[in-house]
Amino acid sequence: MKFLSMKIGIRKNRYLYFDPHMTFMLFLFMMLMMVGVALVKESVMKPYFFSDQITIFSFMKFTYSFGPGNSYGSTAYFYKLLGFEQSSIVFALISAILIISTFVFIFIRVRGGSMNIFDIGVFLFFCFSSMINLTWQSKDFIVFLMMMPLLITFANRTAGLLIWTCFALFYAYYFRTYWFLFLLEFYALLLMSRYVHKGKWIFILCLLSLLVLAFGFQYGLGIDVDNFRNEVNEHRLDSEGDGSNTLIRPWFPAGNPLFGWLNVSLTWITFFFPFPLILMLSPYYVVISTFIILMFRRIWQTLHAALEDRTYPLVVVFALAIISYTVIQSLFEPDYGSYLRHLSPFYPLMFYVYLSFGKFKKEE
């Protein structure tokens, strides 16, 4: 199997070319650097990045089994079974190696794609984010494990989806019940993708699904579709230093399903073009926003091309898994930091879709 090649522009029509072997060596060097990030992250990052770990370990004393819908309790029991200490260096090392191995597998499966300097920048940002968010004992590392069965789809698409769905149902039942909505959204989009041939129709279908959810929450549960987010954020409005400066706030008043739909729809769009972060005029948030825009612009482009081409069904499957998850995130995520952290288990799939765009460019 062939690794990626890399082409870096020096000046007009002149490039520095790295063949697959040279790119692989450069990739390994970058991955070693990322292992270093995983080992020292808690020493250099702000404590609130890892605050969930304290809560999870506090639950261990009183948790003796998985509990339906018990997010923290089930997470605590999972890590209790593993037996690692809090802030374990061994756990950080093992999880980092597992994540890097997944990225290597994904990059090989792209089969001879290419990268430029901008792609390298996007990759390093999201890989760095993976090392920060997934190499400690968190809910998100468990999600990463739950996503791994999707890799079986490279060998057998039906078997991979079936096994992954079983894992996802287990996770939805014991950890995060909103994963039931994620699965419904994903399979609804996957079904509709048989009949649509443009990315814009998937975008419209996502907005329509949010409209259905807005009316369902309002008249089925008697609450606004973004009620859970607003409840979480109420007590954080006057807080500082815990990511509260990137809170996702309602755009319109509550109590109306159409206003609720507009709230979650606009929030969903900002997941791809985070203009609230850009308007903060902080270099830190502008850089993060730039990488988010580059990533999702390419994902939507690749999905559009794959729907038209129809020869790469896995690209469609992975792109729809990512997009359907962001749809459900728009209902619940309290802030943009949480959005990025909870999306981190999907980063390997995101890069497969991102780099697969080269397949369609070559065919053109």
Side-chain angles (χ1 to χ4, degrees):
M1 289 183 285
K2 193 176 180 183
F3 203 71
L4 293 145
S5 60
M6 187 170 66
K7 186 168 67 173
I8 300 175
I10 302 174
R11 62 181 69 172
K12 188 176 181 179
N13 297 324
R14 295 191 65 182
Y15 300 93
L16 181 63
Y17 179 75
F18 291 81
D19 66 23
H21 298 290
M22 294 173 65
T23 306
F24 183 68
M25 296 304 295
L26 180 62
F27 181 84
L28 286 182
F29 174 72
M30 291 188 293
M31 292 301 94
L32 286 174
M33 291 176 59
M34 290 300 158
V35 171
V37 170
L39 297 179
V40 304
K41 62 185 182 299
E42 293 190 47
S43 303
V44 297
M45 303 296 292
K46 292 182 179 180
Y48 72 79
F49 279 95
F50 316 104
S51 57
D52 261 10
Q53 190 170 208
I54 299 172
T55 306
I56 290 167
F57 272 79
S58 69
F59 269 74
M60 283 188 183
K61 302 173 185 177
F62 316 103
T63 305
Y64 303 97
S65 65
F66 293 114
N70 187 354
S71 179
Y72 275 109
S74 295
T75 302
Y77 183 65
F78 175 83
Y79 287 117
K80 188 175 184 178
L81 291 175
L82 293 185
F84 290 102
E85 296 179 354
Q86 186 174 329
S87 302
S88 168
I89 294 294
V90 175
F91 179 84
L93 182 61
I94 292 173
S95 57
I97 292 172
L98 180 59
I99 294 163
I100 288 169
S101 300
T102 305
F103 273 116
V104 171
F105 176 81
I106 287 293
F107 275 46
I108 291 173
R109 297 301 303 194
V110 174
R111 294 189 183 278
S114 63
M115 298 178 73
N116 58 36
I117 192 66
F118 294 106
D119 299 332
I120 288 289
V122 173
F123 168 70
L124 287 176
F125 170 77
F126 283 96
C127 191
F128 175 83
S129 183
S130 296
M131 294 299 110
I132 297 297
N133 294 318
L134 298 177
T135 58
W136 52 282
Q137 295 174 74
S138 65
K139 300 173 189 175
D140 303 302
F141 179 73
I142 300 176
V143 176
F144 175 79
L145 297 179
M146 295 298 108
M147 297 304 296
M148 287 303 95
L150 269 182
L151 300 182
I152 300 171
T153 55
F154 285 106
N156 186 303
R157 185 156 53 103
T158 302
L161 281 172
L162 180 61
I163 295 169
W164 171 72
T165 301
C166 293
F167 275 74
L169 287 171
F170 170 82
Y171 188 78
Y173 184 72
Y174 285 109
F175 292 82
R176 285 176 171 149
T177 52
Y178 68 73
W179 267 55
F180 287 119
L181 292 177
F182 165 44
L183 285 170
L184 286 173
E185 181 77 19
F186 168 68
Y187 277 109
L189 291 180
L190 189 61
L191 176 64
M192 294 306 297
S193 70
R194 297 181 178 183
Y195 310 104
V196 299
H197 298 272
K198 293 186 182 296
K200 68 180 181 181
W201 289 114
I202 295 295
F203 186 87
I204 292 169
L205 286 169
C206 290
L207 292 177
L208 290 176
S209 70
L210 286 172
L211 182 62
V212 171
L213 287 168
F215 276 88
F217 272 65
Q218 194 75 49
Y219 296 110
L221 300 177
I223 58 176
D224 293 305
V225 67
D226 57 347
N227 178 73
F228 295 101
R229 169 175 42 249
N230 296 333
E231 283 188 352
V232 168
N233 282 346
E234 273 184 12
H235 75 279
R236 301 176 66 200
L237 290 174
D238 298 321
S239 302
E240 293 181 2
D242 62 348
S244 302
N245 54 335
T246 65
L247 286 182
I248 298 173
R249 307 188 187 193
W251 306 85
F252 297 94
N256 182 303
L258 286 177
F259 283 165
W261 173 63
L262 288 173
N263 280 331
V264 294
S265 296
L266 286 171
T267 297
W268 181 60
I269 291 170
T270 65
F271 286 168
F272 311 133
F273 186 79
F275 61 85
L277 294 184
I278 296 171
L279 292 176
M280 294 174 70
L281 300 180
S282 161
Y284 174 74
Y285 291 123
V286 169
V287 169
I288 290 175
S289 300
T290 300
F291 285 124
I292 292 171
I293 292 168
L294 289 172
M295 171 60 81
F296 277 105
R297 179 174 177 270
R298 180 68 65 81
I299 286 175
W300 279 103
Q301 286 177 326
T302 307
L303 175 61
H304 176 79
L307 287 171
E308 286 189 327
D309 186 89
R310 297 289 171 174
T311 56
Y312 298 100
L314 274 189
V315 173
V316 175
V317 169
F318 289 172
L320 292 180
I322 296 157
I323 290 167
S324 58
Y325 189 68
T326 62
V327 170
I328 304 306
Q329 279 186 297
S330 70
L331 278 61
F332 299 102
E333 293 298 352
D335 57 74
Y336 290 100
S338 296
Y339 155 65
L340 267 183
R341 185 175 73 250
H342 294 154
L343 194 60
S344 55
F346 290 76
Y347 289 169
L349 300 186
M350 289 166 68
F351 263 94
Y352 181 80
V353 178
Y354 182 97
L355 294 171
S356 292
F357 186 64
K359 298 175 180 179
F360 305 102
K361 285 179 68 178
K362 287 176 183 177
E363 289 176 4
E364 290 172 3

